[in-house]
Amino acid sequence: NNFETAADIDMIMTALGYEAFNLFGNSAGTLIAQHVMRAYPQRLRCVILSSPVPLGEPAFQSMVVDGIQMFHKVMALFAADTEFAAAHPDLENRFLRLLDELNVKPVTLSITDPATGQPHNLALNGDRLAQWLFQRMFFNPRFPIELGKIISGDYEPLRQGGAGFFPMRTFSYGLGNSIMLTEPVDRSAKPVEIPSSCEGFAKAVAGGGFGPEFMKRLGAVWKVERLTPYAEESLLCDVPTLILCGELDPVCPPRYAEIIRRRLAKAHVVVFPGIAHSPIDAGTVPIKM
């Protein structure tokens, strides 16, 4: 779990002979960084958190609502462009209707596994398309361009970005699930109010990886003990901290950064306009900062 990993970091830095060090964490790695900040603040010179998740909060409990809101926001930005709107009228509603249509009548696509180069037939239904889009939203804030092609029957964006349909061979799902279930996750999967037009999209996101419905079902079969109450406490720390976040992040929105900033005595938040998840990967400016 992240609490033990924080202790490992403290131990390893001691073994390497460092009295103090700088710490960087990205996305889920920001949970580890915050555990170090809380348990070993005297070891830290400064911390950089990129696309952070607030420690002590039910992780991703609002993933569905945040994802839907960011979907609306980006679609509205593109709809405001006269040329794009003329080429793709009513794109948002047409895409949401397509999800329902594909759940009734899936289409079969040939998708190549990038790890093996082998083609596979994929039964593309609305749920799979919605989950693919949510993954794309992490790193591609220009996804409406791809949706315009998909709506017209051109599924090339799915073939080009088909990695999300296959298991990640360099990721330990067992370890990842164990770590996330020890953090305060929302295992109740309480229903949230979603516009009726987005119900299909919301249902798919909730049932996808780390979605609230997925975590509820996972917790019932993947038995993992919660961290101690001490380890779930909110972070209060005076280590100088730089927090980087993307304006259009669907899973770690800027409000997460503000939650953390309010708990720290010396924190500064930078929001990168037009960037989605993991701004550290979005060019040279975040790295230089």
Side-chain angles (χ1 to χ4, degrees):
N1 58 53
N2 288 329
F3 187 69
E4 293 296 337
T5 301
D8 289 343
I9 291 173
D10 173 66
M11 176 187 67
I12 289 170
M13 298 307 285
T14 298
L16 292 176
Y18 292 101
E19 291 187 8
F21 52 91
N22 306 322
L23 186 64
F24 170 84
N26 186 55
S27 193
T30 63
L31 289 171
I32 298 174
Q34 291 171 81
H35 277 290
V36 177
M37 292 171 73
R38 185 177 54 202
Y40 309 100
Q42 73 281 1
R43 303 298 306 273
L44 297 171
R45 294 176 64 247
C46 73
V47 175
I48 303 95
L49 304 176
S50 173
S51 294
V53 183
L55 191 66
E57 302 284 333
F60 310 126
Q61 66 173 348
S62 58
M63 176 186 290
V64 176
V65 174
D66 290 335
I68 295 296
Q69 288 179 345
M70 205 59 71
F71 171 76
H72 287 321
K73 181 173 183 176
V74 176
M75 294 298 282
L77 289 172
F78 275 77
D81 182 278
T82 305
E83 185 175 350
F84 184 86
H88 306 285
D90 199 27
L91 179 61
E92 179 175 334
N93 290 324
R94 290 165 62 204
F95 172 72
L96 293 172
R97 288 195 296 269
L98 177 63
L99 297 181
D100 295 333
E101 293 167 5
L102 287 175
N103 276 331
V104 174
K105 189 178 180 180
V107 298
T108 300
L109 302 178
S110 178
I111 302 290
T112 299
D113 184 343
T116 64
Q118 296 297 312
H120 297 266
N121 286 330
L122 171 72
L124 181 70
N125 60 18
D127 288 349
R128 283 177 173 162
L129 178 55
Q131 290 170 357
W132 175 87
L133 172 62
F134 189 64
Q135 292 178 19
R136 296 292 280 179
M137 288 171 61
F138 276 46
F139 302 104
N140 180 19
R142 298 173 61 81
F143 65 82
I145 296 174
E146 295 179 325
L147 296 188
K149 294 180 179 180
I150 294 171
I151 287 291
S152 67
D154 178 2
Y155 290 101
E156 191 59 26
L158 295 171
R159 296 187 178 95
Q160 294 294 326
F165 294 117
F166 299 92
M168 294 183 289
R169 288 172 172 80
T170 57
F171 180 79
S172 172
Y173 286 91
L175 180 59
N177 291 332
S178 294
I179 289 173
M180 292 310 299
L181 283 172
T182 59
E183 295 287 346
V185 297
D186 183 9
R187 302 193 195 192
S188 63
K190 301 181 182 69
V192 295
E193 292 187 8
I194 298 292
S196 58
S197 61
C198 296
E199 286 180 353
F201 188 20
K203 177 176 176 291
V205 172
F210 297 123
E213 181 61 31
F214 174 84
M215 298 304 290
K216 175 184 177 182
R217 291 160 56 192
L218 178 66
V221 297
W222 196 252
K223 303 297 184 181
V224 176
E225 292 295 326
R226 293 285 188 93
L227 290 176
T228 64
Y230 163 75
E232 291 189 349
E233 292 176 1
S234 298
L235 172 68
L236 298 174
C237 184
D238 63 356
V239 173
T241 305
L242 176 64
I243 305 175
L244 311 176
C245 57
E247 174 199 16
L248 304 177
D249 194 331
V251 68
C252 297
R255 65 181 182 82
Y256 276 13
E258 284 301 316
I259 291 174
I260 298 172
R261 184 191 62 79
R262 289 195 295 267
R263 296 170 178 171
L264 304 179
K266 301 174 183 177
H268 185 72
V269 173
V270 179
V271 179
F272 292 87
I275 300 301
H277 193 63
S278 190
I280 198 67
D281 297 316
T284 59
V285 172
I287 295 174
K288 290 178 178 178
M289 292 188 67

mmCIF file of all heavy atoms in Angstrom, residues 92-105 107 124-126 129 147 150-153 155:
data_model
loop_
_atom_site.group_PDB
_atom_site.id
_atom_site.type_symbol
_atom_site.label_atom_id
_atom_site.label_comp_id
_atom_site.label_asym_id
_atom_site.label_seq_id
_atom_site.Cartn_x
_atom_site.Cartn_y
_atom_site.Cartn_z
ATOM 1 N N GLU A 92 -22.467 16.739 -29.931
ATOM 2 C CA GLU A 92 -22.578 16.114 -28.609
ATOM 3 C C GLU A 92 -23.778 15.187 -28.539
ATOM 4 O O GLU A 92 -23.662 14.020 -28.135
ATOM 5 C CB GLU A 92 -22.665 17.181 -27.515
ATOM 6 C CG GLU A 92 -22.817 16.592 -26.126
ATOM 7 C CD GLU A 92 -22.772 17.630 -25.016
ATOM 8 O OE1 GLU A 92 -22.149 18.696 -25.221
ATOM 9 O OE2 GLU A 92 -23.342 17.365 -23.939
ATOM 10 N N ASN A 93 -24.942 15.682 -28.903
ATOM 11 C CA ASN A 93 -26.155 14.855 -28.817
ATOM 12 C C ASN A 93 -26.112 13.684 -29.787
ATOM 13 O O ASN A 93 -26.594 12.587 -29.471
ATOM 14 C CB ASN A 93 -27.390 15.715 -29.082
ATOM 15 C CG ASN A 93 -27.665 16.682 -27.944
ATOM 16 O OD1 ASN A 93 -27.457 16.361 -26.779
ATOM 17 N ND2 ASN A 93 -28.117 17.878 -28.276
ATOM 18 N N ARG A 94 -25.522 13.887 -30.955
ATOM 19 C CA ARG A 94 -25.426 12.795 -31.922
ATOM 20 C C ARG A 94 -24.508 11.691 -31.391
ATOM 21 O O ARG A 94 -24.781 10.503 -31.582
ATOM 22 C CB ARG A 94 -24.914 13.320 -33.267
ATOM 23 C CG ARG A 94 -25.918 14.198 -33.992
ATOM 24 C CD ARG A 94 -25.259 14.970 -35.114
ATOM 25 N NE ARG A 94 -24.692 14.095 -36.133
ATOM 26 C CZ ARG A 94 -23.709 14.438 -36.948
ATOM 27 N NH1 ARG A 94 -23.150 15.647 -36.843
ATOM 28 N NH2 ARG A 94 -23.278 13.603 -37.867
ATOM 29 N N PHE A 95 -23.433 12.078 -30.709
ATOM 30 C CA PHE A 95 -22.542 11.073 -30.142
ATOM 31 C C PHE A 95 -23.239 10.301 -29.021
ATOM 32 O O PHE A 95 -23.124 9.062 -28.947
ATOM 33 C CB PHE A 95 -21.269 11.724 -29.611
ATOM 34 C CG PHE A 95 -20.393 10.785 -28.842
ATOM 35 C CD1 PHE A 95 -19.671 9.792 -29.493
ATOM 36 C CD2 PHE A 95 -20.298 10.861 -27.455
ATOM 37 C CE1 PHE A 95 -18.871 8.900 -28.787
ATOM 38 C CE2 PHE A 95 -19.506 9.985 -26.747
ATOM 39 C CZ PHE A 95 -18.793 8.994 -27.415
ATOM 40 N N LEU A 96 -23.939 11.009 -28.147
ATOM 41 C CA LEU A 96 -24.632 10.335 -27.048
ATOM 42 C C LEU A 96 -25.696 9.382 -27.572
ATOM 43 O O LEU A 96 -25.900 8.293 -27.014
ATOM 44 C CB LEU A 96 -25.249 11.373 -26.104
ATOM 45 C CG LEU A 96 -24.244 12.241 -25.327
ATOM 46 C CD1 LEU A 96 -24.956 13.350 -24.582
ATOM 47 C CD2 LEU A 96 -23.400 11.396 -24.380
ATOM 48 N N ARG A 97 -26.372 9.754 -28.654
ATOM 49 C CA ARG A 97 -27.349 8.843 -29.265
ATOM 50 C C ARG A 97 -26.656 7.629 -29.877
ATOM 51 O O ARG A 97 -27.178 6.506 -29.836
ATOM 52 C CB ARG A 97 -28.174 9.579 -30.320
ATOM 53 C CG ARG A 97 -29.182 10.574 -29.746
ATOM 54 C CD ARG A 97 -30.202 10.990 -30.783
ATOM 55 N NE ARG A 97 -29.603 11.713 -31.897
ATOM 56 C CZ ARG A 97 -29.480 13.044 -31.939
ATOM 57 N NH1 ARG A 97 -29.909 13.783 -30.912
ATOM 58 N NH2 ARG A 97 -28.938 13.631 -32.978
ATOM 59 N N LEU A 98 -25.461 7.840 -30.441
ATOM 60 C CA LEU A 98 -24.706 6.727 -31.014
ATOM 61 C C LEU A 98 -24.373 5.679 -29.955
ATOM 62 O O LEU A 98 -24.407 4.474 -30.231
ATOM 63 C CB LEU A 98 -23.420 7.243 -31.673
ATOM 64 C CG LEU A 98 -22.492 6.176 -32.255
ATOM 65 C CD1 LEU A 98 -23.181 5.412 -33.390
ATOM 66 C CD2 LEU A 98 -21.181 6.803 -32.751
ATOM 67 N N LEU A 99 -24.055 6.124 -28.733
ATOM 68 C CA LEU A 99 -23.763 5.172 -27.658
ATOM 69 C C LEU A 99 -24.961 4.251 -27.427
ATOM 70 O O LEU A 99 -24.798 3.023 -27.296
ATOM 71 C CB LEU A 99 -23.420 5.913 -26.367
ATOM 72 C CG LEU A 99 -22.168 6.788 -26.369
ATOM 73 C CD1 LEU A 99 -21.970 7.423 -25.000
ATOM 74 C CD2 LEU A 99 -20.926 5.995 -26.766
ATOM 75 N N ASP A 100 -26.146 4.819 -27.375
ATOM 76 C CA ASP A 100 -27.352 4.008 -27.168
ATOM 77 C C ASP A 100 -27.577 3.060 -28.350
ATOM 78 O O ASP A 100 -27.943 1.891 -28.166
ATOM 79 C CB ASP A 100 -28.573 4.912 -26.988
ATOM 80 C CG ASP A 100 -28.499 5.749 -25.718
ATOM 81 O OD1 ASP A 100 -27.828 5.300 -24.755
ATOM 82 O OD2 ASP A 100 -29.097 6.842 -25.687
ATOM 83 N N GLU A 101 -27.347 3.555 -29.564
ATOM 84 C CA GLU A 101 -27.555 2.726 -30.753
ATOM 85 C C GLU A 101 -26.583 1.552 -30.786
ATOM 86 O O GLU A 101 -26.968 0.423 -31.122
ATOM 87 C CB GLU A 101 -27.396 3.585 -32.008
ATOM 88 C CG GLU A 101 -28.483 4.643 -32.171
ATOM 89 C CD GLU A 101 -28.125 5.659 -33.242
ATOM 90 O OE1 GLU A 101 -27.082 5.487 -33.916
ATOM 91 O OE2 GLU A 101 -28.894 6.635 -33.407
ATOM 92 N N LEU A 102 -25.332 1.796 -30.423
ATOM 93 C CA LEU A 102 -24.336 0.728 -30.448
ATOM 94 C C LEU A 102 -24.585 -0.308 -29.354
ATOM 95 O O LEU A 102 -24.210 -1.475 -29.503
ATOM 96 C CB LEU A 102 -22.933 1.308 -30.306
ATOM 97 C CG LEU A 102 -22.392 2.051 -31.525
ATOM 98 C CD1 LEU A 102 -21.038 2.695 -31.202
ATOM 99 C CD2 LEU A 102 -22.251 1.110 -32.717
ATOM 100 N N ASN A 103 -25.176 0.107 -28.247
ATOM 101 C CA ASN A 103 -25.515 -0.877 -27.210
ATOM 102 C C ASN A 103 -26.620 -1.816 -27.677
ATOM 103 O O ASN A 103 -26.709 -2.956 -27.215
ATOM 104 C CB ASN A 103 -25.926 -0.171 -25.917
ATOM 105 C CG ASN A 103 -24.734 0.227 -25.067
ATOM 106 O OD1 ASN A 103 -23.687 -0.420 -25.106
ATOM 107 N ND2 ASN A 103 -24.875 1.289 -24.289
ATOM 108 N N VAL A 104 -27.455 -1.334 -28.593
ATOM 109 C CA VAL A 104 -28.506 -2.181 -29.166
ATOM 110 C C VAL A 104 -27.959 -3.004 -30.326
ATOM 111 O O VAL A 104 -28.254 -4.197 -30.459
ATOM 112 C CB VAL A 104 -29.694 -1.312 -29.643
ATOM 113 C CG1 VAL A 104 -30.730 -2.173 -30.367
ATOM 114 C CG2 VAL A 104 -30.334 -0.588 -28.473
ATOM 115 N N LYS A 105 -27.115 -2.379 -31.158
ATOM 116 C CA LYS A 105 -26.586 -3.038 -32.343
ATOM 117 C C LYS A 105 -25.101 -2.722 -32.483
ATOM 118 O O LYS A 105 -24.720 -1.771 -33.165
ATOM 119 C CB LYS A 105 -27.354 -2.586 -33.583
ATOM 120 C CG LYS A 105 -27.014 -3.368 -34.836
ATOM 121 C CD LYS A 105 -27.855 -2.894 -36.020
ATOM 122 C CE LYS A 105 -27.510 -3.683 -37.285
ATOM 123 N NZ LYS A 105 -28.334 -3.235 -38.443
ATOM 124 N N VAL A 107 -21.121 -2.846 -33.658
ATOM 125 C CA VAL A 107 -20.443 -3.056 -34.931
ATOM 126 C C VAL A 107 -19.137 -3.794 -34.651
ATOM 127 O O VAL A 107 -18.570 -3.680 -33.560
ATOM 128 C CB VAL A 107 -20.160 -1.726 -35.658
ATOM 129 C CG1 VAL A 107 -21.458 -1.012 -35.980
ATOM 130 C CG2 VAL A 107 -19.239 -0.837 -34.834
ATOM 131 N N LEU A 124 -17.819 -3.625 -30.951
ATOM 132 C CA LEU A 124 -17.870 -2.266 -30.381
ATOM 133 C C LEU A 124 -19.308 -1.916 -30.026
ATOM 134 O O LEU A 124 -20.141 -1.679 -30.894
ATOM 135 C CB LEU A 124 -17.325 -1.250 -31.390
ATOM 136 C CG LEU A 124 -17.310 0.200 -30.891
ATOM 137 C CD1 LEU A 124 -16.256 0.388 -29.802
ATOM 138 C CD2 LEU A 124 -17.063 1.173 -32.051
ATOM 139 N N ASN A 125 -19.592 -1.896 -28.723
ATOM 140 C CA ASN A 125 -20.895 -1.411 -28.265
ATOM 141 C C ASN A 125 -20.731 -0.020 -27.660
ATOM 142 O O ASN A 125 -19.631 0.544 -27.612
ATOM 143 C CB ASN A 125 -21.529 -2.386 -27.267
ATOM 144 C CG ASN A 125 -20.668 -2.598 -26.024
ATOM 145 O OD1 ASN A 125 -19.770 -1.810 -25.720
ATOM 146 N ND2 ASN A 125 -20.938 -3.674 -25.292
ATOM 147 N N GLY A 126 -21.816 0.552 -27.202
ATOM 148 C CA GLY A 126 -21.773 1.910 -26.662
ATOM 149 C C GLY A 126 -20.929 2.027 -25.418
ATOM 150 O O GLY A 126 -20.218 3.026 -25.225
ATOM 151 N N LEU A 129 -17.250 2.082 -26.383
ATOM 152 C CA LEU A 129 -16.901 3.353 -27.011
ATOM 153 C C LEU A 129 -16.823 4.458 -25.969
ATOM 154 O O LEU A 129 -15.912 5.304 -26.003
ATOM 155 C CB LEU A 129 -17.920 3.718 -28.085
ATOM 156 C CG LEU A 129 -17.712 5.055 -28.806
ATOM 157 C CD1 LEU A 129 -16.319 5.135 -29.420
ATOM 158 C CD2 LEU A 129 -18.789 5.264 -29.863
ATOM 159 N N LEU A 147 -14.389 12.425 -32.492
ATOM 160 C CA LEU A 147 -15.805 12.063 -32.447
ATOM 161 C C LEU A 147 -16.514 12.430 -33.747
ATOM 162 O O LEU A 147 -17.423 11.722 -34.194
ATOM 163 C CB LEU A 147 -16.500 12.752 -31.258
ATOM 164 C CG LEU A 147 -16.018 12.364 -29.866
ATOM 165 C CD1 LEU A 147 -16.921 12.959 -28.801
ATOM 166 C CD2 LEU A 147 -15.931 10.851 -29.716
ATOM 167 N N ILE A 150 -15.912 9.571 -36.016
ATOM 168 C CA ILE A 150 -16.634 8.369 -35.599
ATOM 169 C C ILE A 150 -18.114 8.488 -35.930
ATOM 170 O O ILE A 150 -18.735 7.525 -36.408
ATOM 171 C CB ILE A 150 -16.408 8.114 -34.099
ATOM 172 C CG1 ILE A 150 -14.937 7.766 -33.832
ATOM 173 C CG2 ILE A 150 -17.317 7.001 -33.584
ATOM 174 C CD1 ILE A 150 -14.564 7.703 -32.371
ATOM 175 N N ILE A 151 -18.690 9.662 -35.693
ATOM 176 C CA ILE A 151 -20.104 9.878 -35.995
ATOM 177 C C ILE A 151 -20.389 9.643 -37.472
ATOM 178 O O ILE A 151 -21.457 9.135 -37.853
ATOM 179 C CB ILE A 151 -20.525 11.312 -35.589
ATOM 180 C CG1 ILE A 151 -20.623 11.432 -34.076
ATOM 181 C CG2 ILE A 151 -21.845 11.703 -36.232
ATOM 182 C CD1 ILE A 151 -21.759 10.662 -33.462
ATOM 183 N N SER A 152 -19.437 9.998 -38.326
ATOM 184 C CA SER A 152 -19.626 9.847 -39.773
ATOM 185 C C SER A 152 -19.361 8.421 -40.247
ATOM 186 O O SER A 152 -19.455 8.144 -41.451
ATOM 187 C CB SER A 152 -18.703 10.815 -40.523
ATOM 188 O OG SER A 152 -17.341 10.448 -40.341
ATOM 189 N N GLY A 153 -19.028 7.516 -39.313
ATOM 190 C CA GLY A 153 -18.783 6.127 -39.673
ATOM 191 C C GLY A 153 -17.328 5.794 -39.906
ATOM 192 O O GLY A 153 -16.999 4.661 -40.277
ATOM 193 N N TYR A 155 -14.126 4.850 -38.276
ATOM 194 C CA TYR A 155 -13.659 4.358 -36.989
ATOM 195 C C TYR A 155 -12.136 4.296 -36.896
ATOM 196 O O TYR A 155 -11.583 3.632 -36.003
ATOM 197 C CB TYR A 155 -14.252 2.970 -36.708
ATOM 198 C CG TYR A 155 -15.734 3.003 -36.432
ATOM 199 C CD1 TYR A 155 -16.655 2.657 -37.420
ATOM 200 C CD2 TYR A 155 -16.226 3.407 -35.195
ATOM 201 C CE1 TYR A 155 -18.019 2.698 -37.178
ATOM 202 C CE2 TYR A 155 -17.585 3.453 -34.937
ATOM 203 C CZ TYR A 155 -18.481 3.097 -35.938
ATOM 204 O OH TYR A 155 -19.834 3.144 -35.693
#
